[in-house]
Amino acid sequence: MWKLWKYYTKVEVAEHERVLLFRRDNFVRVLMPGVWRLWDPMGRLHTDKYDLTNPVFEHPIDEFLVKQHEVLTDHLQVVELGDQDVGLVYIDQKLRDVLSPTTRKIYWKGLHDVRVDIQDVTDEFTVPRPLVSRLGHLHTVGHARLALALEYLEVPDNHVGLLFVNGKLDRTLEPGAHAFWKFGRTIQTRIVDTRLQSVEVSGQEILTKDKVSLRLNLTASYRVADVQTAFTQISDFEAFLYKELQFGLREAVGTQTLDEILIGKDELGRVIDREDIILPGEMKVLLNQWVESEKQAQANLIRRREETAATRSLHNTAKMLERSPTLLRLKELEALENVTERIDKLTVFGGLDGVLHQLVKLKED
């Protein structure tokens, strides 16, 4: 009897295992947990053992086996997705995987509770809010795979999200977490800050109406009120705003004189404000130039007054000299004294009379 044992094949199956038995590559049956002794005098049996802790069933001819052997339906669960279907795989009530459209997947029954929720994303591709956080913490799926399947967006407070589908703006998104299935469509997102923003227009060389060259810096404050218009009617609203600020500043300054600008700063602000732009209250550059020009004008006025006074004094002196020969002679001697102070040696011809009457002579015009 012992000689017959060599014609048997012994197969041990643990509680968490299943074994597919084949004879001549033809499926025979599923071996459940236990110890099996199989008659195999010709050595034509072979087995494929599976560990059910991994619930996914994979075999080179798995599709053929499932279709041709109904007995396998007691052990295997087959999931097939259509062209617009997404599958959410729950194992023991926990989300474990995401299946893309046209996927075919087979799972073992028994050890784990496997459930696949199928969603049609033909029209509704928004991921429900409770599911968004679950997908965000799905570690069993690689980040690369998940990125191909989902577009995830976190919109902060005081911001607005924009959802573009196939290049067109589809909707705006409120603050919070959002996710969308990418299958069958191109999805792009953008976050817009709706808080008060500022923009600088610096180093603007502008000529006033009276041809005074000014170098101006402008600070403007703005807030995006209509997000859809800003991103659908204008390709780059920030560049557009900057250009409008430039044009508004040039128009406001170039049509006024420097004095008009300095006197009517509030009016200047209203002119530029046609694009909801706020002109800073202090224009330091302009004020400095204005103060400098004022000081220069005052200095010129004082200089002209001094020149006028000096001319008037000379005129009065000339009249007095004309009326008094003695005073005129004294003035001549005073001039002689000033001359002698600046020379080392003076030669005089004609004696004292020459010094008194001939050396210095102030002529009348």
Side-chain angles (χ1 to χ4, degrees):
M1 185 67 180
W2 62 271
K3 295 182 179 180
L4 296 177
W5 286 108
K6 65 180 180 180
Y7 297 112
Y8 284 87
T9 298
K10 181 180 178 180
V11 180
E12 295 183 0
V13 183
E15 292 183 354
H16 63 283
E17 295 177 334
R18 299 291 184 272
V19 172
L20 298 187
L21 178 63
F22 294 85
R23 176 178 285 113
R24 292 182 177 179
D25 294 330
N26 294 316
F27 174 73
V28 177
R29 60 179 298 186
V30 177
L31 301 182
M32 301 298 287
V35 178
W36 298 80
R37 297 184 184 278
L38 306 173
W39 177 254
D40 186 18
M42 306 297 293
R44 295 175 178 176
L45 296 179
H46 75 268
T47 58
D48 292 334
K49 183 178 290 188
Y50 291 88
D51 186 347
L52 268 59
T53 57
N54 177 15
V56 178
F57 171 76
E58 294 179 331
H59 192 278
I61 57 171
D62 53 7
E63 183 175 357
F64 173 81
L65 291 175
V66 172
K67 289 183 177 181
Q68 296 297 320
H69 301 279
E70 294 185 2
V71 67
L72 287 175
T73 60
D74 295 333
H75 303 276
L76 298 174
Q77 175 184 351
V78 181
V79 177
E80 294 190 62
L81 303 181
D83 293 340
Q84 297 295 326
D85 291 337
V86 174
L88 301 175
V89 182
Y90 293 86
I91 299 177
D92 297 330
Q93 308 303 317
K94 295 181 180 179
L95 182 62
R96 295 298 186 186
D97 198 2
V98 175
L99 305 181
S100 59
T102 70
T103 296
R104 186 176 186 276
K105 208 83 168 180
I106 304 175
Y107 300 93
W108 283 104
K109 297 178 182 179
L111 185 61
H112 295 286
D113 176 23
V114 179
R115 184 181 90 253
V116 180
D117 291 346
I118 299 177
Q119 298 181 2
D120 187 342
V121 295
T122 304
D123 298 318
E124 185 50 61
F125 52 91
T126 303
V127 178
R129 185 64 63 90
L131 185 58
V132 173
S133 59
R134 290 187 181 183
L135 291 170
H137 296 86
L138 187 58
H139 302 295
T140 55
V141 179
H143 292 291
R145 274 190 57 200
L146 204 57
L148 292 174
L150 284 173
E151 177 71 22
Y152 181 84
L153 180 67
E154 184 78 30
V155 182
D157 290 336
N158 300 312
H159 291 70
V160 173
L162 297 178
L163 176 65
F164 295 88
V165 179
N166 297 329
K168 295 182 179 180
L169 180 63
D170 184 79
R171 72 191 76 167
T172 59
L173 307 174
E174 298 179 352
H178 304 268
F180 306 92
W181 297 113
K182 290 183 178 181
F183 303 116
R185 58 187 56 82
T186 301
I187 292 182
Q188 295 174 319
T189 56
R190 182 167 182 175
I191 296 177
V192 183
D193 194 338
T194 57
R195 296 173 296 182
L196 188 65
Q197 305 289 316
S198 63
V199 61
E200 298 284 342
V201 181
S202 58
Q204 300 298 301
E205 299 284 349
I206 304 176
L207 284 177
T208 63
K209 187 177 180 180
D210 51 352
K211 306 304 180 184
V212 177
S213 178
L214 302 179
R215 185 178 179 85
L216 305 180
N217 296 321
L218 175 66
T219 300
S221 299
Y222 72 93
R223 178 183 286 110
V224 179
D226 190 338
V227 177
Q228 293 195 31
T229 299
F231 284 87
T232 57
Q233 303 300 320
I234 306 172
S235 60
D236 187 344
F237 85 90
E238 292 177 340
F240 176 81
L241 176 61
Y242 187 89
K243 290 293 184 182
E244 289 298 305
L245 285 170
Q246 281 185 317
F247 295 150
L249 182 61
R250 291 182 180 279
E251 181 181 355
V253 174
T255 56
Q256 300 187 60
T257 63
L258 179 60
D259 289 341
E260 291 173 341
I261 293 173
L262 296 176
I263 294 173
K265 288 185 295 182
D266 294 337
E267 179 61 27
L268 180 62
R270 284 191 291 272
V271 172
I272 303 179
D273 198 47
R274 286 180 297 181
E275 298 298 331
D276 292 335
I277 301 166
I278 302 173
L279 188 68
E282 296 295 329
M283 298 178 64
K284 294 182 179 179
V285 177
L286 291 177
L287 289 179
N288 290 338
Q289 292 185 356
W290 179 75
V291 170
E292 183 179 351
S293 63
E294 284 291 310
K295 289 182 178 179
Q296 185 65 38
Q298 292 176 2
N300 292 338
L301 179 60
I302 293 174
R303 188 180 300 109
R304 287 194 295 270
R305 288 177 178 174
E306 291 177 349
E307 291 175 353
T308 301
T311 303
R312 185 180 294 109
S313 177
L314 289 175
H315 180 72
N316 293 334
T317 300
K319 286 186 176 181
M320 293 175 63
L321 294 175
E322 183 181 5
R323 290 194 297 267
S324 175
T326 301
L327 184 60
L328 176 61
R329 189 58 187 162
L330 289 174
K331 201 67 176 175
E332 293 173 350
L333 293 176
E334 181 182 349
L336 176 61
E337 182 182 3
N338 293 333
V339 172
T340 58
E341 288 179 353
R342 291 172 171 80
I343 60 178
D344 296 331
K345 184 178 180 180
L346 178 65
T347 302
V348 179
F349 298 94
L352 182 60
D353 184 68
V355 172
L356 296 176
H357 300 288
Q358 298 178 8
L359 183 62
V360 178
K361 184 67 173 179
L362 296 180
K363 295 183 179 181
E364 299 178 5
D365 293 333

